[in-house]
């Protein structure tokens, strides 16, 4: 019998020419089972799949689409830029404009370098931190994702403050030999790592609000101690704000911590996702002294054919302009909170263990009573139950991340009606659990 599901047909076809049928693994629905939805088009808070079915979109391209899809001001800026040329391999005024805007909004950065993906930005930031300090080792935390550069594909070794093991084939153990993997929010491990290796560390890289183990905040005392230890040992504190940047607040997650810790700022910041508004664009920045170590001024090499692409920068600038308007983040945070508090209420009513958290337009929910504080705790989620929630919502036209260790995103295009429809669907799903 002919399969009439066009998503299934496309998936079957895709698997013949693309490994696993997808160009980024989590899209394949491997964790939750079933057939990935092939997106045909999107507008505002929704997208439509190959069968013409509509979904309320809580992924927003994994964060970039903070204005929703097809925002008229952004579309206009991109259309105008396209007519002026796709790529030149020579500098443009728009790159300067975007750099100036990023520095204005994130004052911990004096200078930025534009690149094309978050992976590239995080990888380059580590090279720069190593080059600027003359040290090789660095700290990352279990459950934080900083892109797929070799030195970052690592999990904790056995024992406290030991160096890690590769998590991917093709990464030689010697490449992760200098990557120290610690538990998120674990003060004792942090102290021990600095006591043992403080003078050998180039940087500590952290997602301040982790969005790659669902949604887990670094506690204020933990972040404060990270800052103190880095300063004390001459280690660069690198905030990976690829996800949180311009998503949780206009000043990004660092502004959230600065409001709790007077004078707080990271030494370097990695950005991506929202700053491209859906086009391939990312950046890393920091103090003038550190950034001037980069080629062509300094000895740390870094380059890119499409870096600062004129169409991507137009898209990013138009997006930043919209989110800079007064009241934007207050309204976004409120809408996001109305979703998470609504879900919380429904779950309580249905007797489903549940907790949720959000900041700005980023949220996470857990099918457990208390919010987790690290990766191990996140992984204690009942994954069968999560998969039933995921498919229940999907069937009812609500698209959340197809894996329990991913955050969710609300855009400025999500209406009260969208939230009400989502809560209706969730009520049905929770009652079936
Ligand atoms: C998405 C993400 C990256 C990687 O960005 P890509 O553009 O997918 O390469 C890095 N760090 C964090 C925190 C991210 O969320």
């Amino acid at each position: 019998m002919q399969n009439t599901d066009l998503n299934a047909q496309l998936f079957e076809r895709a698997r013949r020419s693309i490994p696993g049928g997808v160009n980024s693994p989590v899209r394949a629905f491997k964790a939750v089972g079933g057939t990935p939805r092939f997106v045909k088009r999107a507008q505002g808070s929704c997208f439509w799949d190959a069968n013409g079915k509509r979904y309320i979109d809580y992924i927003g391209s994994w964060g970039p689409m903070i204005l929703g899809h097809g925002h008229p001001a952004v579309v206009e800026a991109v259309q105008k830029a396209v007519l002026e040329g796709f790529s030149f391999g020579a500098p443009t005024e728009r790159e300067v404009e975007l750099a100036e805007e990023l520095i204005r909004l994130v004052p911990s950065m004096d200078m930025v370098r534009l690149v094309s993906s978050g992976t590239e930005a995080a990888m380059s930031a580590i090279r720069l931190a190593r080059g600027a300090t003359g040290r090789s080792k660095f700290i990352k935390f279990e459950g934080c994702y900083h892109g797929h550069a070799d030195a970052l594909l690592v999990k904790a070794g056995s024992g406290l403050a030991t160096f890690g093991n590769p998590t991917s084939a093709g990464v030689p153990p010697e490449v992760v030999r200098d990557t120290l993997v610690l538990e998120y929010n674990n003060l004792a491990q942090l102290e021990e790592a600095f006591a043992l290796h403080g003078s050998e560390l180039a940087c500590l890289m952290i997602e301040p609000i982790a969005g790659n183990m669902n949604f887990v905040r670094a506690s204020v005392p933990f972040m404060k101690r990270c800052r103190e230890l880095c300063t004390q040992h001459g280690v660069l504190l690198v905030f990976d704000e690829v996800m949180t940047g311009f998503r949780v607040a206009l000043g990004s997650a660092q502004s959230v911590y600065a409001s709790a810790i007077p004078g707080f700022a990271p030494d370097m910041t990695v950005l991506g996702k929202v700053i491209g508004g859906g086009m391939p664009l990312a950046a890393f920045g920091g103090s003038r002294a550190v950034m001037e170590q980069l080629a062509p001024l300094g000895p740390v090499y870094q380059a890119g054919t499409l870096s600062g692409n004129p169409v991507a920068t137009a898209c990013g600038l138009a997006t930043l302009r919209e989110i800079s308007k007064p009241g934007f983040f207050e309204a976004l945070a409120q809408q996001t909170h109305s979703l998470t508090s609504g879900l919380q209420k429904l779950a309580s009513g249905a007797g489903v263990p549940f907790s949720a958290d959000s900041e700005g337009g980023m949220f996470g929910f857990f099918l457990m009573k208390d919010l987790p504080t690290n990766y191990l705790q996140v992984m204690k989620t009942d994954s069968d139950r999560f998969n039933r929630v995921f498919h229940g919502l999907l069937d009812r036209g609500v698209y959340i991340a197809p894996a329990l260790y991913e955050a969710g995103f609300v855009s400025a295009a999500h209406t009260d009606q969208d939230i009400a429809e989502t809560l209706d669907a969730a009520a049905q799903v929770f009652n079936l659990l």
Side-chain angles (χ1 to χ4, degrees):
M1 201 183 82
Q2 175 73 28
N3 190 343
T4 56
D5 177 355
L6 298 178
N7 293 307
Q9 283 182 22
L10 276 169
F11 193 40
E12 198 185 313
R13 188 174 138 208
R15 278 183 294 185
R16 287 197 286 271
S17 54
I18 300 171
V22 292
N23 284 311
S24 198
V26 75
R27 297 179 196 170
F29 277 27
K30 207 171 154 189
V32 291
T35 307
R37 303 305 192 257
F38 280 69
V39 179
K40 195 144 179 146
R41 68 184 181 89
Q43 184 58 48
S45 60
C46 295
F47 68 75
W48 285 261
D49 73 5
N51 295 328
K53 182 177 161 84
R54 189 196 78 147
Y55 300 86
I56 303 173
D57 177 13
Y58 289 104
I59 300 217
S61 184
W62 300 95
M65 309 314 295
I66 193 165
L67 300 173
H69 299 280
H71 187 285
V74 179
V75 170
E76 192 190 325
V78 169
Q79 283 174 330
K80 190 163 165 283
V82 161
L83 295 175
E84 291 165 358
F86 282 31
S87 184
F88 314 117
T92 62
E93 183 176 358
R94 221 174 279 135
E95 292 161 76
V96 186
E97 248 186 283
L98 181 58
E100 288 169 349
E101 191 65 5
L102 294 173
I103 291 162
R104 185 178 74 78
L105 295 169
V106 182
S108 67
M109 307 189 298
D110 297 330
M111 301 180 105
V112 288
R113 172 64 56 86
L114 302 181
V115 296
S116 298
S117 75
T119 291
E120 200 189 346
M123 172 190 88
S124 305
I126 285 172
R127 184 183 307 139
L128 177 56
R130 285 170 156 172
T133 57
R135 303 170 176 183
S136 301
K137 299 188 194 319
F138 70 91
I139 289 175
K140 87 171 278 289
F141 295 92
E142 186 111 69
C144 287
Y145 178 67
H146 307 294
H148 62 88
D150 281 357
L152 289 159
L153 295 180
V154 55
K155 64 171 187 285
S158 51
L160 210 59
T162 53
F163 292 88
N165 305 312
T167 52
S168 166
V171 176
E174 55 271 25
V175 174
V176 297
R177 202 182 46 199
D178 290 325
T179 311
L180 192 54
V181 185
L182 307 182
E183 190 173 84
Y184 201 69
N185 279 322
N186 185 327
L187 271 167
Q189 275 195 19
L190 185 73
E191 297 286 354
E192 164 138 1
F194 273 89
L196 289 173
H197 303 290
S199 64
E200 307 163 276
L201 292 167
C203 67
L204 176 156
M205 182 174 264
I206 187 166
E207 281 185 82
I209 299 172
N212 290 284
M213 46 173 155
N214 201 318
F215 179 109
V216 181
R217 293 170 190 269
S219 75
V220 168
F222 184 74
M223 192 57 85
K224 187 160 175 279
R225 198 61 189 139
C226 285
R227 178 65 278 178
E228 288 166 358
L229 286 167
C230 282
T231 303
Q232 194 182 322
H233 293 269
V235 177
L236 296 171
L237 176 61
V238 183
F239 261 30
D240 181 348
E241 297 228 43
V242 171
M243 191 177 280
T244 53
F246 304 103
R247 166 52 76 177
V248 300
L250 187 57
S252 304
Q254 51 198 270
S255 70
V256 176
Y257 285 91
S259 69
I261 309 167
F264 180 88
D267 298 306
M268 290 175 69
T269 301
V270 184
L271 294 164
K273 297 194 168 108
V274 169
I275 67 165
M279 299 282 286
L281 182 67
F284 60 103
S287 70
R288 190 169 303 277
V290 168
M291 293 305 287
E292 286 187 345
Q293 298 298 310
L294 276 180
L297 292 177
V300 179
Y301 192 69
Q302 191 279 327
T305 301
L306 297 176
S307 292
N309 178 269
V311 183
T313 47
C315 189
L317 271 168
T319 301
L320 292 182
R321 211 166 286 133
E322 293 302 314
I323 69 172
S324 301
K325 290 182 175 167
F328 178 90
F329 274 92
E330 287 78 359
L332 183 65
Q334 201 173 355
Q335 196 66 301
T336 309
H337 190 255
S338 68
L339 173 69
T340 52
S341 60
L343 290 172
Q344 178 81 66
K345 214 155 144 198
L346 292 171
S348 304
V352 175
F354 188 92
S355 56
D357 195 3
S358 69
E359 189 72 42
M362 177 173 161
F363 70 91
F365 71 81
F366 300 91
L367 300 172
M368 51 175 82
K369 199 165 84 13
D370 300 309
L371 286 172
T373 59
N374 62 41
Y375 187 63
L376 259 181
Q377 291 176 11
V378 174
M379 295 323 274
K380 288 194 179 131
T381 304
D382 179 342
S383 59
D384 285 341
R385 183 169 259 210
F386 172 82
N387 292 351
R388 276 182 279 142
V389 169
F390 170 79
H391 280 291
L393 291 174
L394 191 69
D395 288 347
R396 292 167 178 80
V398 174
Y399 194 94
I400 63 166
L404 63 86
Y405 48 86
E406 306 288 348
F409 304 95
V410 171
S411 79
H414 284 77
T415 61
D416 294 348
Q417 173 69 24
D418 289 327
I419 303 295
E421 274 182 42
T422 303
L423 294 177
D424 262 357
Q428 295 171 33
V429 171
F430 287 160
N431 282 321
L432 291 172
L433 282 180

